[in-house]
Amino acid sequence: MPPKFKRHLNDDEVTGSVKSERRNLLEEDSDEEEDFFLRGPSGPRFGPRNDKIRHVQNQVDEVMDVMQENITKVIERGERLDDLQDKSESLSDNATAFSNRAKQLRRQMWWRGCKV
């Protein structure tokens, strides 16, 4: 059962409240930085200067994407190098153990040959 006093808000009421809040914030004492964040940058929105800024921003975005990919690749390479280092240490330990066991077996066989 729906509540009796349910009120539906329309778009004008919702957007109007945001505008009135912004207006109240701008009317009070505010500095230039606050005005910039509330009103946005001043100056022409369209024109050659904005196109240049947009072009530079696109280039910066592309460079950021490439750098993020490079960082990801470097991290993956570091992980692979760590795995390779672990495997090489394991191989070295196994080679040392094999060498020691081979020496023991060779001595054992030499004594067995001497006894015969």
Side-chain angles (χ1 to χ4, degrees):
M1 185 166 142
K4 289 182 179 180
F5 300 106
K6 186 174 182 181
R7 181 175 176 214
H8 296 285
L9 297 175
N10 59 21
D11 290 337
D12 293 334
E13 291 174 335
V14 174
T15 58
S17 65
V18 172
K19 289 179 184 177
S20 65
E21 289 175 15
R22 185 179 295 164
R23 192 178 319 111
N24 289 339
L25 289 171
L26 289 173
E27 287 175 359
E28 296 177 7
D29 294 330
S30 63
D31 59 358
E32 294 177 14
E33 290 179 7
E34 290 176 356
D35 290 347
F36 174 78
F37 288 111
L38 292 172
R39 289 186 182 151
S42 59
R45 290 188 176 216
F46 303 104
R49 182 174 181 191
N50 194 22
D51 291 339
K52 289 180 184 179
I53 291 172
R54 188 177 304 124
H55 179 70
V56 170
Q57 184 63 43
N58 289 339
Q59 288 179 338
V60 169
D61 291 340
E62 289 175 12
V63 170
M64 285 177 55
D65 291 340
V66 169
M67 291 304 296
Q68 287 175 349
E69 289 176 18
N70 290 343
I71 290 171
T72 303
K73 289 178 182 178
V74 166
I75 290 171
E76 290 173 357
R77 180 177 177 259
E79 290 172 356
R80 287 194 311 261
L81 287 175
D82 289 341
D83 291 343
L84 184 60
Q85 184 178 4
D86 292 342
K87 288 178 182 180
S88 67
E89 288 174 0
S90 175
L91 184 60
S92 176
D93 292 342
N94 288 338
T96 304
F98 177 79
S99 176
N100 290 338
R101 180 68 181 129
K103 285 179 188 177
Q104 286 178 347
L105 187 60
R106 185 176 53 223
R107 288 182 185 144
Q108 190 179 22
M109 291 296 122
W110 184 80
W111 278 109
R112 187 177 288 174
C114 287
K115 291 179 184 177
V116 171

